[in-house]
Amino acid sequence: MDKNTQPPSGDWKRNLVLTARNTPVWLFQLGRKYGREISRLDQIPEEEIALLAERGFTCLWLVGLWQRSPVSQKIKHLYGRPQAIASAYSIYAYRAAENLGGPQALAELRRRVNAHGIYLACDMVPNHTGLDAPWIY
């Protein structure tokens, strides 16, 4: 967490109420709800963040946030799924995906959710590594 972003205060471990969101799916759903394209993390409407807080959530866990493996998408296409995106469990790099706005959009979302008393969670799972990830060669 950078020095300009303050996490929600209080006994967060004991009182954590978590919601997990498949990031690309959630952004697509928000776009349909609001009648405009929402494809970046920094485009999530303030109303949605306020709604999470209003419903009592204290942590937002983003699944599918990281840069996905291009090889994973190619494999899906070769197996007859041309519309499929790469697997969220085949990570090329643990960096916020550029198509979601990259690190800057993630930092902005973190600032905004923290302002509503919500933590932002993301995970790193070593065996979720893409075949083409640079650190496995």
Side-chain angles (χ1 to χ4, degrees), residues 99-122:
N99 66 312
L100 300 176
Q104 297 82 11
L106 177 60
E108 174 60 16
L109 177 61
R110 180 179 58 198
R111 183 193 66 74
R112 292 172 56 219
V113 298
N114 285 174
H116 286 271
I118 299 172
Y119 282 99
L120 186 59
C122 312

Side-chain angles (χ1 to χ4, degrees), residues 48-132:
E48 288 300 313
I49 297 169
L51 185 59
L52 291 174
E54 181 182 309
R55 291 180 173 167
F57 292 108
T58 58
C59 187
L60 170 60
W61 179 17
L62 297 177
V63 177
L65 169 69
W66 307 123
Q67 192 68 45
R68 297 172 188 219
S69 163
V71 169
S72 170
Q73 184 171 21
K74 184 175 183 177
I75 290 169
K76 287 183 175 191
H77 292 181
L78 289 171
Y79 278 88
R81 298 182 56 212
Q83 77 290 356
I85 64 174
S87 172
Y89 303 105
S90 183
I91 304 301
Y92 180 78
Y94 280 97
R95 169 180 163 69
E98 289 302 325
N99 66 312
L100 300 176
Q104 297 82 11
L106 177 60
E108 174 60 16
L109 177 61
R110 180 179 58 198
R111 183 193 66 74
R112 292 172 56 219
V113 298
N114 285 174
H116 286 271
I118 299 172
Y119 282 99
L120 186 59
C122 312
D123 63 349
M124 188 274 186
V125 181
N127 70 337
H128 289 180
T129 301
L131 296 173
D132 54 342

